[in-house]
Amino acid sequence: MTRKQRRMTIIGGSLAVLALAAALVLNALRDSIVFFSTPTMVAEKHIEPGKRFRLGGLVQPGSLQRGDNLAVTFEVADGNAKLPVAYKGILPDLFREGQGVVAEGALDANGVFKADTVLAKHDETYMPRDVADALKKQGHWKDDYGGKPADGGKTSDAGRPATTAQGNPQGAVR
């Protein structure tokens, strides 16, 4: 073999080993690549009790029940299926019925998702008032960008947009 053939053989072998390693890693992680599973996916996969995963969907209106010692139960739905969730702890500020949620935990033997972490998903259509006004002036505004400002466009005495106790601007278009 010439030096060029030997070099090409080494490069080809290295690429084959790298491709095999990547395929093995992706195969091992294929269920974990998805950020969360919906209730429909949970039913289709027949996830066994005790296996940890993330559950995502919308909190069903009317399903939230608060118990003793920060215990909470609610249902997460995706339009096709519902899954009951039990959680003990303080819920995020953005958590409310009808909003998106991602919970991390495992199913118990009764088919109830026992969550140890609950994350509330915020509205993706948030836009600062200044940006919304600039889009309107340029003619690029679409009605589905957001609704009415939270405070009806109120400003503070100094002429700046009013803010919440956390320092967030009120009047942001959602």
Side-chain angles (χ1 to χ4, degrees):
M1 264 213 251
T2 64
R3 281 178 57 180
K4 186 175 184 179
Q5 289 174 332
R6 206 173 329 148
R7 191 177 327 150
M8 293 304 280
T9 303
I10 290 172
I11 290 172
S14 299
L15 288 175
V17 169
L18 184 63
L20 179 65
L24 289 173
V25 168
L26 289 175
N27 186 38
L29 296 176
R30 72 173 172 241
D31 288 336
S32 300
I33 291 175
V34 177
F35 182 68
F36 60 81
S37 298
T38 63
T40 301
M41 293 167 69
V42 171
E44 289 172 355
K45 290 181 184 179
H46 302 292
I47 297 175
E48 66 271 3
K51 182 179 180 190
R52 290 188 57 79
F53 65 97
R54 288 184 177 149
L55 173 69
L58 295 176
V59 178
Q60 277 296 108
S63 69
L64 180 64
Q65 297 177 348
R66 297 183 187 273
D68 295 336
N69 298 328
L70 300 175
V72 178
T73 60
F74 55 92
E75 287 184 340
V76 174
D78 62 0
N80 296 326
K82 294 185 226 176
L83 192 63
V85 176
Y87 176 68
K88 188 171 184 175
I90 299 173
L91 291 170
D93 290 339
L94 294 176
F95 182 91
R96 56 185 58 89
E97 294 178 344
Q99 286 288 111
V101 68
V102 175
E104 189 171 342
L107 287 173
D108 67 3
N110 298 326
V112 176
F113 186 79
K114 298 287 186 177
D116 51 39
T117 305
V118 173
L119 305 170
K121 294 172 66 180
H122 65 81
D123 186 10
E124 293 85 12
T125 60
Y126 169 79
M127 190 177 305
R129 186 170 192 78
D130 298 340
V131 174
D133 290 342
L135 285 172
K136 285 179 184 177
K137 285 180 185 175
Q138 294 172 2
H140 296 294
W141 179 259
K142 295 181 184 170
D143 286 336
D144 60 348
Y145 279 156
K148 209 171 162 182
D151 70 344
K154 295 177 188 171
T155 58
S156 67
D157 293 337
R160 294 184 303 271
T163 58
T164 64
Q166 292 81 20
N168 298 327
Q170 288 183 345
V173 177
R174 292 190 143 259

